[in-house]
Amino acid sequence: AHFLAVAEEGHFGRAAARLGLSQPPLSAQIQALEAELGVKLLERTRKGARPTREGEALLPVIRRLAEDAKQVEVLARELRAGRQMPMALACVTSALFDFLPPLVRALRDAQPDAAMAVQEMDTADAVEALRRGEVDFALARLDRDRLPLRVLPLGRDALVVALPEGHALLGRPGPLPLSALAREPLMLLPRSISPAYFDAQVSACRAAGFEPVAVREVSSAMAQLAFVAAGLGVALVSSGMAVLRPPGVGFRELAGPVASVGVALVWNGERESEAARLAVSVARGLFAAGHGEAAAAG
């Protein structure tokens, strides 16, 4: 936390004020960390401080550790307040608004005193967190079991196209054929984030007679929409994202429709916690009647 504060503020004094410390103890903490790691993390400049090359390389890992520590603090605080059954769950961005709220509400109804921490992660990070036992279950885009991970699909999903405001394709009547995007610059999520989701999009484009060429790879579905709003290209997104209606972006259904990899509840069969078992039971009842499909049609 100390290194992150200095790296983000670019100044020891501002970082100390943010942390509620005086500057000497902050400097001492940084020096102790540098000694422990065996590398220099920060260098002082005339304007303040900045990460060294080694500090820049370690920054994402340290930021992730700090986020994990925050989640531990959240759960510990809720447990101190008398809550039981700690639940740690991960959720992909595109499920935050349609699948996560009903699931969390249903879990709260089933276990009102549960201590719950939610982290936003892409599918690849959620899979790793499940393998390491850092979360009990996740809402992610996986199409099948990948042992030891188990997958419970919550509903079908279809892709929609996000277009910048004023785009000519927004004026065409009826659902768009996917082939209409053949010459459009696409904003794609990298395959590493969610291989199944990426492969489904590429396969659909190839079936429509063209090879998708990413004009830019972006790190999240929200970033896709932001770049579309900026007029830099178009994007194929989960229909769940269309419910956000961000300014500067129009959405159109695709003819077919074009199937995508739906959201699934994922848990580790070899580390199945009480919280994971409850989530599976609740999700089966909540989404079995088609709620997931209705939500995904958003």
Side-chain angles (χ1 to χ4, degrees), residues 30-215:
I30 298 290
Q31 288 166 4
L33 179 60
E34 289 175 329
E36 188 176 339
L37 295 175
V39 294
K40 189 167 178 60
L41 298 173
L42 292 162
E43 59 185 1
R44 292 182 181 270
T45 67
R46 279 183 300 176
K47 293 183 178 178
R50 68 182 177 202
T52 61
R53 184 173 58 85
E54 294 82 2
E56 287 283 2
L58 288 170
L59 195 55
V61 179
I62 292 174
R63 186 172 280 123
R64 175 68 180 275
L65 289 172
E67 285 298 319
D68 290 344
K70 260 188 221 170
Q71 296 303 320
V72 171
E73 288 173 13
V74 168
L75 283 177
R77 188 165 58 248
E78 293 207 346
L79 290 169
R80 286 197 302 272
R83 292 191 178 277
Q84 305 299 314
M85 194 197 288
M87 292 186 192
L89 60 138
C91 182
V92 295
T93 303
S94 55
L96 285 172
F97 301 98
D98 45 7
F99 287 95
L100 181 69
L103 179 62
V104 168
R105 282 195 295 268
L107 286 169
R108 284 287 194 214
D109 288 344
Q111 191 75 33
D113 61 349
M116 193 177 298
V118 182
Q119 301 179 63
E120 183 184 359
M121 291 186 191
D122 61 47
T123 293
D125 285 344
V127 163
E128 285 308 306
L130 285 166
R131 289 189 191 279
R132 292 192 297 261
E134 294 170 355
V135 296
D136 294 293
F137 54 93
L139 292 173
R141 290 189 180 275
L142 285 180
D143 51 355
R144 56 185 172 81
D145 289 351
R146 299 181 186 205
L147 298 177
L149 303 187
R150 303 288 308 282
V151 170
L152 174 67
L154 301 184
R156 291 192 295 270
D157 193 9
L159 295 173
V160 296
V161 59
L163 299 152
E165 210 169 56
H167 195 285
L169 289 176
L170 287 172
R172 282 179 55 164
L176 293 175
L178 187 55
S179 58
L181 304 181
R183 293 195 175 121
E184 296 290 336
L186 279 174
M187 300 288 158
L188 288 179
L189 299 176
R191 189 177 188 277
S192 59
I193 282 181
S194 180
Y197 188 57
F198 179 92
D199 291 347
Q201 293 197 14
V202 171
S203 296
C205 291
R206 286 173 178 163
F210 70 98
E211 189 73 24
V213 179
V215 65

Side-chain angles (χ1 to χ4, degrees), residues 2 5-6 9 11-27:
H2 297 87
V6 179
E9 295 290 342
H11 193 276
F12 273 90
R14 288 195 297 269
R18 170 171 142 185
L19 294 168
L21 299 172
S22 61
Q23 198 164 318
L26 174 60
S27 296

